[in-house]
Amino acid sequence: MNRYAVRIGSLLALALSCLLAQAPARADDRLALQFEGASIALTHVRTVDAVRAVAVDDPGLQELLAKVGATVTWQPGERYVLITTAEPLVVSFAVGDARYDVGPVKQTAPLAPFELNGRVYLPLEELLHAMDLALRADNGGLFVQPQLTALDVQAAAGGARLVARGGIPLDAQVSAARDDKIVITFDGVASTLPPSRSVGTGPVQRIDVRTLGTTAHPQTQVTVAFTPGTLHSAPGTDDQRDFTMAFSAPGSEPAQQIAASANPAAPAASQSVAQVTAVDTQPQNGRVIIHIAVSGNAAYEWHRLRPPDNRFWLDVHDARLAIAAIDEPGSDPVTAIRVHQQSPQVVRIALSLAGFDSVDVTPGASGVTITASGAVADEATTLRSGSGRIGAGAVAATGKPYVASNPRLIVIDPGHGGSDPGSYRGELVEKLLTLDISKRLRDILAARGWQVLLTRSDDRDVYAPNDSARDELQARDDLANRNGARAFVSVHVNAFMNAGPHGATVYYYKPSDFALAQAVDKRIAAELDLKNDGVIKNKLYVIHHADMPATLIETAFLSNPDDRALLESAQWRQQMAQAIADGIEDYAGAPPPASSESGQ
Ligand SMILES: [Zn+2]
């Protein structure tokens, strides 16, 4: 990550820091920021040694974070501040420590976060930079400028694909196209990426980047030069925040818009990796409290064996152990503690208990606490396993599992619709195929006694025509979240640049999605004669942001002739709907009876 120039109104800052040195008890400063044409007033700013810091709970900062899709997790009295970016990537600061983490990358700020009058202040420019935003002074104003921060060309079957990321959801248009190059204009973002680079991946030869526009309203033009005759897809985001565009070499199949989900093997650059940063053991009157500090969001699960086996372990998933492994004796009632990297993705905390002691697991924003007490547990009611989430998600869920307020309700989401056709080949359009399969699925589930809501029941956008992918997908999740659904099932049709890939893929993301996805996948494998790629973890927006167990099904590939013939068959679409319905019931059981006020 490149460093950037720290620009400040130097005279003003100098005057303020002198004032601060002389009168430390004075009130906070105010600072006006310009962002996307609007002014945001920070009201709790301090300048120390010419470095600006802003209070975590500053209302203006909260407003800015909300605008870029970031959330803060911090409670008064807590030392750790976690910011989850829209990426999502977890940025973690600790009071008194100039080192901070942006996902797996360690950084050092010129000023350590500090506490003053019960508030925690973070270095402002580092905080913005971590969210791919830069602070630019111009003409007496101070502008928060979103940056285009990544422009990767990846090899893909039949050609290459361009993936771009930035500080805001990217709004891109092809502003000029020729036989050997195209110009893509990203509106509202500036760039400090290299102005020119040779590529040589598939048909893509060179990329030139230049920033135009004004400080207040920048634009970045990206020129992609390629082998003459190269075909390219329309710019798209499909189910992800990232911008993607496919380029296929002359002579191969025409480029289709690639769903981000069509390439689950793409590098997980934006995958956030949590870190286990400390394990703190406190013996206390016959109890032992073990706090495991975790920076970032992570899922965990724990298990304990039946007596006489006295082992207990807790696995933190998608996490790295940032401290040395621990293997040491405990104190009563814990006889041993081991902490180690169990696998590349899992950190395991293992305890040996002295006897059949009670163990309690409580997740929080900055870690998870295990309390082992010498009290003998009631074996009949003792849980053998549990799971939950640490980090930003723990605040909302408080570690409790999701409880559907309407356990009879299943929400079905026909992918795409209206201004967004999804993939298409000839007469076959994804948005219409997903609607057809979803309606069949609705009818089957309704006949079995389920209440069913479709996110759309005709060919339209759920949020608004030509809206952003995020608004559109969030509107679909909102419907399920507001109604307290038991499960959320999104139906899609896949496409790729060439005819090779075929078959069904079932996606999950949250730990709570897995059992649903697996049940649906098993039924698809059993009931349909189709290549089955199994369940795949992928951070797809709709399943990530659904509160309840959710899955996304790519039913078959429009780009494969055999799959296309299946998709054309109404009988096959009915079988697919049947398999999905059976999978939902394998997972959820029979629908609970209608509540008594419905008139029995
Ligand atoms: Zn789709």
Side-chain angles (χ1 to χ4, degrees), residues 272-413:
S272 65
V273 178
Q275 297 193 35
V276 174
T277 54
V279 177
D280 178 38
T281 307
Q282 290 172 24
Q284 201 180 69
N285 312 328
R287 293 192 305 170
V288 176
I289 300 166
I290 300 160
H291 181 72
I292 300 134
V294 179
S295 69
N297 292 335
Y300 69 85
E301 61 180 304
W302 60 265
H303 301 270
R304 73 177 290 176
L305 299 177
R306 288 180 187 283
D309 198 322
N310 58 355
R311 281 175 292 168
F312 167 98
W313 70 92
L314 183 145
D315 287 348
V316 183
H317 291 274
D318 293 327
R320 279 194 349 206
L321 184 60
I323 53 172
I326 296 171
D327 188 352
E328 57 190 36
S331 61
D332 199 54
V334 176
T335 59
I337 300 178
R338 287 188 67 217
V339 179
H340 63 286
Q341 190 83 44
Q342 170 77 7
S343 73
Q345 290 84 32
V346 175
V347 174
R348 172 165 292 181
I349 294 90
L351 308 179
S352 295
L353 302 170
F356 194 58
D357 308 292
S358 290
V359 180
D360 185 67
V361 177
T362 310
S366 58
V368 59
T369 304
I370 303 169
T371 306
S373 75
V376 174
D378 177 2
E379 201 193 335
T381 58
T382 295
L383 295 174
R384 299 276 162 216
S385 64
S387 62
R389 292 195 66 79
I390 301 161
V395 175
T398 328
K400 292 190 183 73
Y402 172 79
V403 179
S405 61
N406 188 348
R408 279 182 72 218
L409 177 67
I410 309 285
V411 170
I412 299 166
D413 175 41

Side-chain angles (χ1 to χ4, degrees), residues 411-493:
V411 170
I412 299 166
D413 175 41
H416 311 274
S419 64
D420 169 19
S423 307
Y424 48 89
R425 284 291 153 110
E427 303 281 286
L428 287 183
V429 186
E430 179 178 3
K431 65 176 182 176
L432 300 177
L433 292 167
T434 60
L435 183 60
D436 178 271
I437 296 169
S438 297
K439 284 181 166 174
R440 294 171 187 273
L441 175 56
R442 173 194 61 191
D443 294 346
I444 296 165
L445 290 171
R448 294 177 181 179
W450 292 95
Q451 220 180 65
V452 182
L453 265 179
L454 293 181
T455 57
R456 63 182 180 93
S457 48
D458 50 21
D459 179 16
R460 63 183 178 86
D461 299 84
V462 173
Y463 186 75
N466 302 306
D467 52 359
S468 72
R470 199 199 315 197
D471 286 342
E472 178 65 23
L473 298 171
Q474 187 61 50
R476 295 166 191 244
D477 284 324
D478 286 347
L479 185 80
N481 294 344
R482 264 200 319 270
N483 289 289
R486 176 80 175 85
F488 178 93
V489 176
S490 189
V491 178
H492 284 250
V493 172

Side-chain angles (χ1 to χ4, degrees), residues 106-251:
K106 293 211 171 298
Q107 303 275 345
T108 304
L111 174 71
F114 58 92
E115 194 176 342
L116 191 66
N117 304 329
R119 288 207 149 90
V120 165
Y121 293 76
L122 303 178
L124 175 63
E125 294 205 42
E126 278 65 26
L127 174 59
L128 295 177
H129 187 49
M131 292 185 294
D132 298 337
L133 304 170
L135 204 54
R136 299 272 182 255
D138 188 26
N139 220 354
L142 203 50
F143 295 85
V144 176
Q145 208 182 49
Q147 302 288 303
L148 188 70
T149 47
L151 205 54
D152 300 324
V153 182
Q154 302 165 352
R161 94 189 189 128
L162 177 69
V163 180
R165 274 199 318 277
I168 50 172
L170 294 174
D171 175 13
Q173 302 224 314
V174 174
S175 45
R178 279 187 8 197
D179 189 46
D180 60 348
K181 69 178 176 188
I182 59 163
V183 179
I184 308 162
T185 301
F186 293 92
D187 196 41
V189 293
S191 163
T192 51
L193 294 169
S196 183
R197 70 184 211 258
S198 300
V199 180
T201 302
V204 177
Q205 295 168 343
R206 208 181 68 244
I207 290 188
D208 293 298
V209 181
R210 58 185 190 137
T211 296
L212 309 167
T214 61
T215 307
H217 191 156
Q219 282 189 333
T220 295
Q221 271 191 359
V222 174
T223 305
V224 183
F226 38 67
T227 313
T230 295
L231 296 161
H232 63 83
S233 70
T237 55
D238 199 69
D239 301 319
Q240 301 255 25
R241 168 190 169 94
D242 295 352
F243 162 93
T244 65
M245 201 162 172
F247 296 87
S248 50

